[in-house]
Each structure stands twice: as structure tokens, then as C-alpha cells.
Amino acid sequence: RLGMLAAGTGIAPMLQVIQGILSNEDDETFMHLVYSSRTYDEILMKHTLDEMKAYWNFSVLYIVTKVSSNEKLN
């Protein structure tokens, strides 16, 4: 098991590790990423990370610390 914490551009080195593990069919490491960004719109590589969630051994939790001016709270 591998727990990863990243914020902002700190996602870049994490992506290299994630891609390396996911590309190795013999690697059974389970990875959980907690990724923090100021706003939803500033989440880097979100589309790529969401695609990686299709793998059995990867999950991601997004944390947004500020609501942008064009987002509304319910």
C-alpha cells in the first residue's frame, strides 16, 4: 500500500510513480492519492487522474480549499 499527498504542481512527481506502478501488470501496490488544490478549476491533470481510477489499485480524493467566484455553494 502506498499513500500519497500532493498539492498543486506537486502532482507531477506523483504521476510518474502512479504511471510506473499502473503500467507494470505484476505490481500489486495499492495507491491512494489525496490531492489538494485551491479551487476545483485549478486541479491539475484531473482528467488523467480520473481515468486512472479505472484501475483496481488506484484511488484519488480531491480536496478543494477555496470556492472560486464562479462556483456556488448549495
Side-chain angles (χ1 to χ4, degrees):
R1 295 188 184 273
L2 179 61
M4 296 178 275
L5 301 172
T9 58
I11 191 63
M14 300 296 181
L15 275 174
Q16 291 178 341
V17 172
I18 295 165
Q19 290 169 335
I21 291 172
L22 294 180
S23 66
N24 181 351
E25 292 181 12
D26 295 327
D27 196 328
E28 295 184 359
T29 302
F30 182 84
M31 301 167 285
H32 184 75
L33 170 66
V34 177
Y35 179 66
S36 177
S37 184
R38 281 184 278 180
T39 66
Y40 180 84
D41 293 335
E42 292 179 8
I43 296 173
L44 302 176
M45 304 300 294
K46 184 174 186 315
H47 180 72
T48 300
L49 291 168
D50 287 345
E51 286 180 349
M52 291 176 174
K53 290 190 302 186
Y55 289 86
W56 68 271
N57 58 338
F58 177 73
S59 66
V60 61
L61 171 67
Y62 300 108
I63 297 176
V64 176
T65 60
K66 180 180 174 185
V67 176
S68 68
S69 59
N70 58 351
E71 293 176 300
K72 295 180 182 178
L73 291 174
N74 292 333

